[in-house]
Amino acid sequence: MRPAFGALLLWLTLSALSVFSAFGAAWAQPPQALLLVGDSTLATRTGYGDALCQRLAAAGDCVNLARGGRSTRSYRSEGLWAQALDQLRSYPAGTAVHVLIQFGHNDQPGKFGRSTNLNTEFPANLAGFVSEVHAAGGQPLLVTPLTRRSFSRAGVLVDDLRPWALAVRQVARAQRVPLIDLHGRSATAVQAMGAAAAQQLGVARAGKADFDNAHVGPKGACVFADMVWQGLVAQLPAWGAHAAPAPNCNQIAGP
């Protein structure tokens, strides 16, 4: 009887230690979620958002709510922002919900029903997103727009999104919220690699019907997701605790 009792006691002790260890890990790492809100450069199939979520899957819940063709105006007017707030509120109490917000491409002039005034409406829309995330119990994180990969004949990157990136920076500073300067990092990287190499980051090569200099294929998604991941963990270290190892983007084929 004594050996059997001893074995049972050992089993109970190990089981209890396992349970306490699990509770301890949960206590040390509160549940967290990341909601991605933005345009096609972040959206599924055309952006880097899904690649970022794959990297963060073990660290928390990551949901890509970005939609192609949207601006700060149309994302709200089409009801997508309301859906994002509903998603934010759906998490249990105690969950740290961060909302990553990236716009700019479709806020530029020439986008019927979507363009916003750079000096007034665009920053006001971003500030509204920030305040509403706070009011819903979330933590906003602003991201400057991903650069386009257009070059002049002299081989210089055409930095046409810089004014919108500066506006995002100003809103982040005024609202005192974390900022990831994706525009600055991506523009520097794309300029350094040059036009030919930058084509490898797109959905299709020049001359193909679906070629453009804004959207990204698997290789580009890997490169830019890594930039945002680095910025994210610098601002919010908890997201780096259990993230997957960095993939080797050089091993991913371009279009």
Side-chain angles (χ1 to χ4, degrees):
M1 292 295 292
R2 287 184 179 179
F5 177 77
L8 176 61
L9 181 60
L10 177 61
W11 180 83
L12 290 173
T13 301
L14 292 175
S15 298
L17 287 173
S18 177
V19 170
F20 285 129
S21 176
F23 275 112
W27 182 264
Q29 178 66 46
Q32 57 186 357
L34 181 68
L35 306 182
L36 309 183
V37 168
D39 56 32
S40 57
T41 60
L42 185 60
T44 298
R45 290 189 297 276
T46 57
Y48 68 84
D50 286 1
L52 178 63
C53 282
Q54 290 172 9
R55 184 87 179 269
L56 298 171
D61 191 30
C62 184
V63 182
N64 192 353
L65 302 175
R67 295 293 182 272
R70 272 54 172 199
S71 67
T72 57
R73 175 190 291 179
S74 63
Y75 196 89
R76 181 184 291 276
S77 66
E78 294 178 18
L80 296 170
W81 179 245
Q83 294 175 22
L85 291 179
D86 287 343
Q87 177 77 28
L88 190 165
R89 298 187 189 101
S90 72
Y91 287 98
T95 304
V97 184
H98 304 98
V99 183
L100 184 153
I101 302 168
Q102 181 204 295
F103 287 100
H105 280 248
N106 299 302
D107 284 86
Q108 291 187 302
K111 311 284 186 176
F112 180 75
R114 297 172 290 167
S115 299
T116 58
N117 185 287
L118 173 61
N119 298 315
T120 56
E121 188 180 1
F122 181 62
N125 289 348
L126 289 174
F129 289 157
V130 167
S131 63
E132 289 170 37
V133 168
H134 280 311
Q139 302 176 44
L141 175 67
L142 293 180
V143 181
T144 55
L146 177 66
T147 187
R148 291 190 176 93
R149 302 178 301 281
S150 302
F151 286 79
S152 69
R153 290 185 178 180
V156 177
L157 183 70
V158 179
D159 196 2
D160 60 348
L161 279 157
R162 185 172 183 272
W164 282 263
L166 291 174
V168 176
R169 292 172 66 100
Q170 291 168 358
V171 172
R173 186 180 306 113
Q175 298 293 320
R176 297 182 178 180
V177 296
L179 173 80
I180 297 174
D181 187 16
L182 175 60
H183 179 266
R185 295 196 63 179
S186 61
T188 299
V190 169
Q191 176 64 72
M193 67 179 64
Q199 283 192 21
Q200 294 294 313
L201 306 180
V203 175
R205 294 188 66 81
K208 299 294 183 180
D210 51 351
F211 168 78
D212 67 66
N213 283 311
H215 301 122
V216 299
K219 190 180 188 72
C222 178
V223 170
F224 298 126
D226 187 60
M227 290 182 185
V228 174
W229 180 83
Q230 292 181 39
L232 178 67
V233 298
Q235 299 280 355
L236 304 167
W239 280 102
H242 302 289
N248 187 342
C249 301
N250 292 326
Q251 293 181 349
I252 301 176

PDB file of all heavy atoms in Angstrom, residues 42 60-61 81 90-91 105 108 111 141 143 168 188 195 225 238 245:
ATOM      1  N   LEU A  42      -1.889  46.840 -45.789  1.00  0.00           N
ATOM      2  CA  LEU A  42      -1.923  46.071 -44.547  1.00  0.00           C
ATOM      3  C   LEU A  42      -2.843  44.856 -44.671  1.00  0.00           C
ATOM      4  O   LEU A  42      -2.736  43.897 -43.919  1.00  0.00           O
ATOM      5  CB  LEU A  42      -2.409  46.990 -43.412  1.00  0.00           C
ATOM      6  CG  LEU A  42      -2.444  46.491 -41.970  1.00  0.00           C
ATOM      7  CD1 LEU A  42      -1.053  46.084 -41.496  1.00  0.00           C
ATOM      8  CD2 LEU A  42      -3.007  47.575 -41.057  1.00  0.00           C
ATOM      9  N   GLY A  60      -0.266  36.279 -28.781  1.00  0.00           N
ATOM     10  CA  GLY A  60      -1.594  36.813 -28.498  1.00  0.00           C
ATOM     11  C   GLY A  60      -2.478  36.701 -29.722  1.00  0.00           C
ATOM     12  O   GLY A  60      -2.059  36.217 -30.779  1.00  0.00           O
ATOM     13  N   ASP A  61      -3.709  37.168 -29.588  1.00  0.00           N
ATOM     14  CA  ASP A  61      -4.667  37.125 -30.696  1.00  0.00           C
ATOM     15  C   ASP A  61      -4.377  38.285 -31.640  1.00  0.00           C
ATOM     16  O   ASP A  61      -4.287  39.435 -31.212  1.00  0.00           O
ATOM     17  CB  ASP A  61      -6.092  37.235 -30.130  1.00  0.00           C
ATOM     18  CG  ASP A  61      -7.139  36.933 -31.176  1.00  0.00           C
ATOM     19  OD1 ASP A  61      -6.861  36.139 -32.087  1.00  0.00           O
ATOM     20  OD2 ASP A  61      -8.258  37.484 -31.079  1.00  0.00           O
ATOM     21  N   TRP A  81     -15.094  50.739 -39.152  1.00  0.00           N
ATOM     22  CA  TRP A  81     -14.558  51.184 -37.868  1.00  0.00           C
ATOM     23  C   TRP A  81     -15.447  50.731 -36.712  1.00  0.00           C
ATOM     24  O   TRP A  81     -14.955  50.311 -35.665  1.00  0.00           O
ATOM     25  CB  TRP A  81     -14.395  52.700 -37.857  1.00  0.00           C
ATOM     26  CG  TRP A  81     -13.879  53.229 -36.560  1.00  0.00           C
ATOM     27  CD1 TRP A  81     -14.514  54.049 -35.682  1.00  0.00           C
ATOM     28  CD2 TRP A  81     -12.589  52.958 -35.980  1.00  0.00           C
ATOM     29  NE1 TRP A  81     -13.722  54.310 -34.588  1.00  0.00           N
ATOM     30  CE2 TRP A  81     -12.526  53.654 -34.746  1.00  0.00           C
ATOM     31  CE3 TRP A  81     -11.485  52.204 -36.382  1.00  0.00           C
ATOM     32  CZ2 TRP A  81     -11.421  53.609 -33.910  1.00  0.00           C
ATOM     33  CZ3 TRP A  81     -10.373  52.154 -35.548  1.00  0.00           C
ATOM     34  CH2 TRP A  81     -10.350  52.848 -34.335  1.00  0.00           C
ATOM     35  N   SER A  90     -15.243  42.982 -27.516  1.00  0.00           N
ATOM     36  CA  SER A  90     -15.639  41.581 -27.345  1.00  0.00           C
ATOM     37  C   SER A  90     -14.661  40.785 -26.487  1.00  0.00           C
ATOM     38  O   SER A  90     -14.993  39.685 -26.044  1.00  0.00           O
ATOM     39  CB  SER A  90     -15.777  40.903 -28.715  1.00  0.00           C
ATOM     40  OG  SER A  90     -14.493  40.697 -29.321  1.00  0.00           O
ATOM     41  N   TYR A  91     -13.462  41.325 -26.252  1.00  0.00           N
ATOM     42  CA  TYR A  91     -12.469  40.581 -25.483  1.00  0.00           C
ATOM     43  C   TYR A  91     -12.797  40.619 -23.990  1.00  0.00           C
ATOM     44  O   TYR A  91     -13.337  41.607 -23.487  1.00  0.00           O
ATOM     45  CB  TYR A  91     -11.069  41.147 -25.727  1.00  0.00           C
ATOM     46  CG  TYR A  91     -10.544  40.807 -27.094  1.00  0.00           C
ATOM     47  CD1 TYR A  91     -10.640  41.721 -28.139  1.00  0.00           C
ATOM     48  CD2 TYR A  91      -9.970  39.564 -27.353  1.00  0.00           C
ATOM     49  CE1 TYR A  91     -10.182  41.407 -29.412  1.00  0.00           C
ATOM     50  CE2 TYR A  91      -9.500  39.244 -28.623  1.00  0.00           C
ATOM     51  CZ  TYR A  91      -9.606  40.165 -29.643  1.00  0.00           C
ATOM     52  OH  TYR A  91      -9.153  39.844 -30.898  1.00  0.00           O
ATOM     53  N   HIS A 105      -2.548  56.153 -47.947  1.00  0.00           N
ATOM     54  CA  HIS A 105      -2.563  55.958 -49.403  1.00  0.00           C
ATOM     55  C   HIS A 105      -3.849  56.483 -50.043  1.00  0.00           C
ATOM     56  O   HIS A 105      -3.794  57.191 -51.056  1.00  0.00           O
ATOM     57  CB  HIS A 105      -2.396  54.472 -49.734  1.00  0.00           C
ATOM     58  CG  HIS A 105      -0.983  53.999 -49.659  1.00  0.00           C
ATOM     59  ND1 HIS A 105      -0.258  53.613 -50.755  1.00  0.00           N
ATOM     60  CD2 HIS A 105      -0.138  53.850 -48.602  1.00  0.00           C
ATOM     61  CE1 HIS A 105       0.966  53.251 -50.399  1.00  0.00           C
ATOM     62  NE2 HIS A 105       1.058  53.382 -49.075  1.00  0.00           N
ATOM     63  N   GLN A 108      -4.999  60.421 -49.999  1.00  0.00           N
ATOM     64  CA  GLN A 108      -4.394  61.366 -50.926  1.00  0.00           C
ATOM     65  C   GLN A 108      -5.423  61.866 -51.947  1.00  0.00           C
ATOM     66  O   GLN A 108      -6.462  61.229 -52.165  1.00  0.00           O
ATOM     67  CB  GLN A 108      -3.214  60.709 -51.637  1.00  0.00           C
ATOM     68  CG  GLN A 108      -2.027  60.440 -50.717  1.00  0.00           C
ATOM     69  CD  GLN A 108      -0.810  59.948 -51.472  1.00  0.00           C
ATOM     70  OE1 GLN A 108      -0.851  58.938 -52.163  1.00  0.00           O
ATOM     71  NE2 GLN A 108       0.293  60.683 -51.342  1.00  0.00           N
ATOM     72  N   LYS A 111      -8.907  60.374 -54.994  1.00  0.00           N
ATOM     73  CA  LYS A 111      -9.628  59.153 -54.605  1.00  0.00           C
ATOM     74  C   LYS A 111     -11.076  59.540 -54.307  1.00  0.00           C
ATOM     75  O   LYS A 111     -11.409  59.957 -53.198  1.00  0.00           O
ATOM     76  CB  LYS A 111      -8.986  58.511 -53.376  1.00  0.00           C
ATOM     77  CG  LYS A 111      -7.473  58.336 -53.458  1.00  0.00           C
ATOM     78  CD  LYS A 111      -7.085  57.181 -54.341  1.00  0.00           C
ATOM     79  CE  LYS A 111      -5.584  56.948 -54.278  1.00  0.00           C
ATOM     80  NZ  LYS A 111      -5.171  55.765 -55.068  1.00  0.00           N
ATOM     81  N   LEU A 141      -2.188  52.436 -31.504  1.00  0.00           N
ATOM     82  CA  LEU A 141      -0.800  52.468 -31.963  1.00  0.00           C
ATOM     83  C   LEU A 141      -0.833  52.952 -33.405  1.00  0.00           C
ATOM     84  O   LEU A 141      -1.408  52.286 -34.275  1.00  0.00           O
ATOM     85  CB  LEU A 141      -0.193  51.066 -31.876  1.00  0.00           C
ATOM     86  CG  LEU A 141       1.215  50.851 -32.405  1.00  0.00           C
ATOM     87  CD1 LEU A 141       2.231  51.601 -31.549  1.00  0.00           C
ATOM     88  CD2 LEU A 141       1.556  49.368 -32.430  1.00  0.00           C
ATOM     89  N   VAL A 143       0.713  53.988 -37.111  1.00  0.00           N
ATOM     90  CA  VAL A 143       1.789  53.571 -38.019  1.00  0.00           C
ATOM     91  C   VAL A 143       1.770  54.495 -39.231  1.00  0.00           C
ATOM     92  O   VAL A 143       0.715  54.713 -39.834  1.00  0.00           O
ATOM     93  CB  VAL A 143       1.606  52.107 -38.470  1.00  0.00           C
ATOM     94  CG1 VAL A 143       2.747  51.685 -39.387  1.00  0.00           C
ATOM     95  CG2 VAL A 143       1.510  51.190 -37.269  1.00  0.00           C
ATOM     96  N   VAL A 168       0.799  61.854 -39.542  1.00  0.00           N
ATOM     97  CA  VAL A 168       0.595  60.777 -38.574  1.00  0.00           C
ATOM     98  C   VAL A 168       1.500  60.982 -37.368  1.00  0.00           C
ATOM     99  O   VAL A 168       1.076  60.813 -36.212  1.00  0.00           O
ATOM    100  CB  VAL A 168       0.855  59.395 -39.216  1.00  0.00           C
ATOM    101  CG1 VAL A 168       0.721  58.292 -38.168  1.00  0.00           C
ATOM    102  CG2 VAL A 168      -0.112  59.150 -40.369  1.00  0.00           C
ATOM    103  N   THR A 188      13.671  54.226 -46.613  1.00  0.00           N
ATOM    104  CA  THR A 188      15.131  54.080 -46.557  1.00  0.00           C
ATOM    105  C   THR A 188      15.572  52.745 -47.154  1.00  0.00           C
ATOM    106  O   THR A 188      16.534  52.674 -47.928  1.00  0.00           O
ATOM    107  CB  THR A 188      15.620  54.192 -45.104  1.00  0.00           C
ATOM    108  OG1 THR A 188      15.280  55.487 -44.597  1.00  0.00           O
ATOM    109  CG2 THR A 188      17.127  53.989 -45.012  1.00  0.00           C
ATOM    110  N   ALA A 195      15.448  50.256 -57.717  1.00  0.00           N
ATOM    111  CA  ALA A 195      14.200  49.934 -58.398  1.00  0.00           C
ATOM    112  C   ALA A 195      14.087  48.460 -58.776  1.00  0.00           C
ATOM    113  O   ALA A 195      13.036  47.839 -58.612  1.00  0.00           O
ATOM    114  CB  ALA A 195      14.043  50.809 -59.642  1.00  0.00           C
ATOM    115  N   ALA A 225       6.562  43.329 -42.689  1.00  0.00           N
ATOM    116  CA  ALA A 225       6.040  42.822 -41.418  1.00  0.00           C
ATOM    117  C   ALA A 225       7.143  42.800 -40.370  1.00  0.00           C
ATOM    118  O   ALA A 225       6.905  43.100 -39.187  1.00  0.00           O
ATOM    119  CB  ALA A 225       5.452  41.428 -41.599  1.00  0.00           C
ATOM    120  N   ALA A 238       5.882  43.174 -24.520  1.00  0.00           N
ATOM    121  CA  ALA A 238       5.160  41.930 -24.263  1.00  0.00           C
ATOM    122  C   ALA A 238       4.882  41.159 -25.553  1.00  0.00           C
ATOM    123  O   ALA A 238       4.779  39.931 -25.541  1.00  0.00           O
ATOM    124  CB  ALA A 238       3.842  42.220 -23.544  1.00  0.00           C
ATOM    125  N   PRO A 245      10.252  33.066 -34.411  1.00  0.00           N
ATOM    126  CA  PRO A 245      11.534  33.589 -34.889  1.00  0.00           C
ATOM    127  C   PRO A 245      11.363  34.326 -36.219  1.00  0.00           C
ATOM    128  O   PRO A 245      10.459  34.026 -37.005  1.00  0.00           O
ATOM    129  CB  PRO A 245      12.382  32.324 -35.072  1.00  0.00           C
ATOM    130  CG  PRO A 245      11.736  31.294 -34.202  1.00  0.00           C
ATOM    131  CD  PRO A 245      10.273  31.602 -34.219  1.00  0.00           C
TER     132      PRO A 245
END
